[in-house]
Each structure stands twice: as structure tokens, then as C-alpha cells.
Amino acid sequence: MSFSSQTAGIRDNGLGLVAQLGRVHLVGCGGVGMASLAEALCLRGVRVSGSEVEDRPELARLRAAGCTIYAGHSESNLRGVDTVVHSTAVPPDNVELRSAADRGIRVVHRSVALAALMEGRFSVAVAGTHGKTSTAAMLVSALSAAGVAPEYVIGGRLADQSGAGAGETSAIVVEADESDGSFLAYRPDAVVITNIDTDHLDLYRDIDTLARAFSGFAERVGERGFVVMPEDDPYSRRVTRGLRAKGIRVYTFSDGSPADLSVHVEGEFPDSVRFIARFPDQDDAAVEVPVPGRHMALNAGAAMLTAMRLGASRSGTILGITQYAGVARRFEVKGAPRGIRVYDDYACHHTSIRASLTALRRTATGGRLIAVAEPCRQYRMDQFQAEIADALSVADRVVVLPVFDSDDSFDHAAPSEALTSLVSLPDHDKFLARTPDAAARAVDAFARPGDLVVTLGAPGVVRVAEQIVQTLERTR
């Protein structure tokens, strides 16, 4: 699919793209990215409706924002609708998509609606295999503290807020998704790429193909824009060389090596990471981010460099990073019943799993680290089963759930059973749990005060974290 070509139908009458969308209906509005988009459209004054398979508590926020929300998908939900928006996760045979096509209602991917919101704003698009949500949120925090609060639409809830905000300037910060190629729908003024790692090989043939896609995305800033890239990974360096050869400005951040901003981690703590930000032409700055993990220091470095290149003051930028309130499902504490801390984290890719577990291990002082993983997508299991098993082995005990995937043509527990056997832990420290209840009971059976439990995987696993907390509370 060519996402960049989808905007053609709403560019031809001279009106702003958002106005041309008319009344918008979002199919599958409960996903965090779709929910953020729905709220952002409401904030722009668009009449918005949305539908989900079932009603859920988190949809109350969208209703409060002014969206009309339907529980269940139905042709009747499309009355008066001008544009139907869907994500890649919505199957093409969805009843609302079929009905819209039959009735001649415009149907677009969510990236096209997001591109419409970006029109007429100075736009910053944050992409990367890992860390884009946290980096985008840190950038919003840094700019806001520096007095230039942007509009934003990102794929995660900021603290107790949503993933969208109106802002106080003409700038907008968005999260750009490479997983389905939809980031090619955007023409941003500035691009941040957090890293380029092997993933999404169901779409991209190999890492070289993926790197070329990132390069094509970054090139869309043109000679008047700029790109922020990591200096540390080889594919990012390759993209940087290609961009500079085309006259595009690129600024780099690094994990200690020479760059426009280098991050030197000084200390990792249970709830934070402290580093020295080193600029070639300025004094060093000590910064502490209130979330754990070396990778979070690098995310903060990318956000700081971007904010300052956008004109934010250094002092305001640093203040925003130190005041960063976090994003839901990134080291989110769900409870501490019986003195057992329970976290939830989005990590799905083996690199992210290892980074999260390594960071949390440093917080599990005096206790054991227990990982409850729901493998995300069968294609990752096919390609990276050994790497995922190796990453999970950082924990002291591991509970593995069936694979999360919309494809029902295979036994979702079978690949998880194979994964469990590959984890390099004694048999009594690794378990296959076929249901969330079984996972909660397994944790309850062996967790003790001082232990740290973390659920890892796609958004649905947060309910497993909540069930673990409830089970531990019942058995005090």
C-alpha cells in the first residue's frame, strides 16, 4: 500500500486537510494510537465517532473528549460519516470498512488523518525500532518546560493523561510508525530516528530494506528540515551518510562516543537514570531522568538534542527531562501487594525485552526478577525465537503466555512452549501458562516479598499485570 498517495483525494480543492475530512469515524478506536488520533481530531473541532469490539473503561476518556463511541462494529455506526479511518490492525473484511466502501464513503489509513493534522504546523515526527513513544513524550515535556508546548499525537498515554494534547504553539510532535510503512505518509519538518534494528520482517525483506525505508522517511524533511539520528548503530550511520550526501542536515546523539550530544551514564537507580550530557561547544550538563534504564538516558538525549535544535533553551529542556512524568506501559508500576512490586512494560522485540529486564534487574535489589511474557506476533517467534529466549533469561523466573496474534490458524500455545524450553533457566524456574489466570496463579505460588514482577508484551498483557496484583492481594 502507498500511504503517501492516499492523501491525493483530499488535496485538490484548496481547503485544509482536516476540514476536508468532515465527520470522522475511527474503526477500532480503543487502540492507543487510534485513541490518541481520535482525541487530537476532537481537539481540532472535528466531529468524531468511533467503534470497538466491546466497551472498555479506557473508552470513557474519549467520550469525555467529545467522541461518540459505539460498542461493537455495525453499518449503522456510519450514519452521517464523511471519512472512515482505520489502522493496519483492522482486517479488510470488517463490516464497517466494507459498508463504507459500498456506500462511497472515503476510507483512509490512520496515517492519512494524522498527516492532515500535521498540515500547516511545524511538524516533528519521531520514529525508530525502539523508544519512539518515550522519546516523543520526553520531547513534549522538554519543549513544554521551555515555554513552547507543542500539539502532540503519540502512541502512548502520558502519565495520567492521554496521548494527545492541544499545545500552545504552531508546532506538533507525532509518533511515526515504521511497522506497516505508514510513516511515508508524512512530510515532517524535522525527523527523529531513535535507532534502526531488525524487526517487521513480515513487511521488510531484511534489515537493509528496513534501513532504506527509514532513509526514505527521513529524506522527506528536504533541505530546509533536519534529522536527529543515533551515532552508535551501523545502519543509522549508513542512513546519516546518505542523508548528508543529499544535503540534508543531520545531528547525532550517542552512548558516549563523539556526537552533537553524547550521553555518559553515571548511575542507574530503581526509579531513575543519571547521565552527563556532553555538547561539543558547551559545558557538560548533569541530567537525571525519573525512569530507570540506560536506554531511557539515550531516549532523553535524543529528545534534548531535538528540543534545543528547535530553539528551546538548554535550561528549559533539561528541566523538562527531569520533570518527565513517564508513559503508560513503560516501566509502569501496577501495584506492590505483599511487598512484591508489579510492573508492566510494552517490550515485545528481543532488544527491548533485554533492555527492560536489564534495567529492572538493577531495581530488584534483594529480590528476584520474575518476567511474565506474552510473545507478540508469530513472525517474531519464527525469526527471533532464540533471541527472545536469550533475552528472557536475564530474569530469575519466567512465565510465558500463548502468542499474541490475530491469526487463529495456529495453536498459539505451541510456539510459546518451544520458547519456554529454550530459556536458559532451570526447569523449575520457567513455566508455560496457557491462560492469564494460570500466569497469575503461578506468580502467586512462588513470589515473595522483595521480588519484582514485570509483564512484557502487547497492550493486552496489562490485564495480566492487573490480575497478578489482584491475585497477590487476595492471598495476603
Side-chain angles (χ1 to χ4, degrees):
M1 180 185 298
S2 174
F3 292 100
S4 57
S5 66
Q6 285 197 44
T7 56
I10 52 172
R11 281 189 182 276
D12 55 10
N13 65 6
L15 297 176
L17 299 191
V18 173
Q20 290 185 58
L21 291 173
R23 182 176 170 184
V24 175
H25 178 80
L26 291 91
V27 183
C29 63
V32 65
M34 290 287 276
S36 297
L37 175 62
E39 190 162 353
L41 289 166
C42 283
L43 289 170
R44 287 282 193 95
V46 177
R47 293 179 63 193
V48 176
S49 62
S51 60
E52 256 304 338
V53 175
E54 59 184 5
D55 209 345
R56 301 204 297 260
E58 53 264 37
L59 296 176
R61 184 179 294 278
L62 292 183
R63 291 191 174 99
C67 301
T68 300
I69 303 299
Y70 302 102
H73 299 305
S74 169
E75 295 180 12
S76 63
N77 295 344
L78 303 185
R79 280 195 289 265
V81 168
D82 300 299
T83 303
V84 171
V85 177
H86 66 96
S87 70
T88 306
V90 177
D93 63 350
N94 174 275
V95 62
E96 292 179 356
L97 294 188
R98 289 203 320 267
S99 177
D102 291 343
R103 293 153 65 176
I105 299 173
R106 181 191 298 119
V107 178
V108 300
H109 188 268
R110 70 173 298 275
S111 59
V112 176
L114 183 53
L117 286 171
M118 294 165 67
E119 186 204 30
R121 300 289 199 270
F122 185 94
S123 58
V124 185
V126 183
T129 309
H130 319 292
K132 49 185 171 283
T133 301
S134 295
T135 301
M138 288 179 184
L139 177 57
V140 170
S141 183
L143 291 172
S144 298
V148 285
E151 183 178 5
Y152 60 89
V153 188
I154 65 173
R157 290 186 295 105
L158 278 66
D160 293 328
Q161 306 171 42
S162 70
E168 300 169 1
T169 67
S170 60
I172 183 171
V173 174
V174 305
E175 184 176 337
D177 188 7
E178 81 284 355
S179 69
D180 56 7
S182 61
F183 59 175
L184 296 175
Y186 312 132
R187 291 193 176 277
D189 299 286
V191 156
V192 183
I193 295 177
T194 57
N195 43 63
I196 301 175
D197 196 0
T198 307
D199 199 9
H200 311 304
L201 299 188
D202 56 328
L203 174 65
Y204 303 99
R205 184 172 62 254
D206 49 34
I207 182 65
D208 294 301
T209 307
L210 175 62
R212 284 195 295 272
F214 272 109
S215 181
F217 164 63
E219 286 174 17
R220 297 176 78 80
V221 303
E223 293 183 4
R224 299 180 62 183
F226 70 87
V227 179
V228 171
M229 296 280 296
E231 181 66 30
D232 300 307
D233 76 74
Y235 290 97
S236 292
R237 286 197 298 272
R238 181 190 301 177
V239 170
T240 295
R241 287 195 300 270
L243 294 174
R244 286 175 172 163
K246 295 179 179 180
I248 296 172
R249 287 181 295 161
V250 181
Y251 303 105
T252 60
F253 63 96
S254 74
D255 187 4
S257 56
D260 293 293
L261 187 154
S262 57
V263 171
H264 299 259
V265 174
E266 285 200 319
E268 297 185 57
F269 311 101
D271 299 309
S272 66
V273 57
R274 186 169 60 227
F275 65 94
I276 299 297
R278 186 157 295 158
F279 305 88
D281 55 347
Q282 301 181 49
D283 293 334
D284 295 350
V287 185
E288 188 160 346
V289 193
V291 284
R294 187 181 196 93
H295 58 300
M296 287 296 184
L298 278 171
N299 292 340
M304 288 177 62
L305 178 58
T306 306
M308 293 174 66
R309 288 297 174 184
L310 290 171
S313 67
R314 171 170 152 152
S315 60
T317 294
I318 293 173
L319 177 64
I321 295 298
T322 60
Q323 293 179 340
Y324 173 61
V327 178
R329 302 216 63 237
R330 275 70 177 176
F331 295 129
E332 183 178 8
V333 178
K334 305 304 291 185
R338 291 166 34 195
I340 301 165
R341 286 179 290 163
V342 180
Y343 287 76
D344 178 51
D345 194 70
Y346 188 78
C348 294
H349 187 279
H350 53 277
T351 300
S352 298
I353 292 170
R354 179 176 295 280
S356 296
L357 291 178
T358 300
L360 290 172
R361 170 161 291 294
R362 293 185 172 91
T363 79
T365 52
R368 298 167 301 172
L369 176 58
I370 302 168
V372 180
E374 181 183 55
C376 185
R377 305 297 183 190
Q378 179 58 28
Y379 76 82
R380 282 200 184 98
M381 292 289 279
D382 290 339
Q383 296 157 356
F384 305 121
Q385 186 182 67
E387 291 85 349
I388 295 170
D390 189 54
L392 288 172
S393 300
V394 172
D396 297 302
R397 283 197 169 182
V398 171
V399 178
V400 182
L401 286 155
V403 174
F404 169 81
D405 198 297
S406 57
D407 182 0
D408 291 327
S409 65
F410 67 98
D411 177 3
H412 290 214
S416 292
E417 184 174 14
L419 174 67
T420 304
S421 68
L422 289 175
V423 174
S424 299
L425 291 173
D427 287 345
H428 62 268
D429 285 329
K430 54 187 182 183
F431 307 86
L432 173 67
R434 294 180 179 272
T435 65
D437 182 62
R441 285 187 282 107
V443 171
D444 181 53
F446 54 70
R448 60 184 182 233
D451 287 350
L452 188 156
V453 180
V454 58
T455 53
L456 303 160
V461 80
V462 67
R463 293 178 177 81
V464 180
E466 293 164 353
Q467 190 166 351
I468 289 170
V469 170
Q470 293 166 4
T471 301
L472 293 172
E473 286 176 339
R474 286 197 302 266
T475 56
R476 284 182 183 275

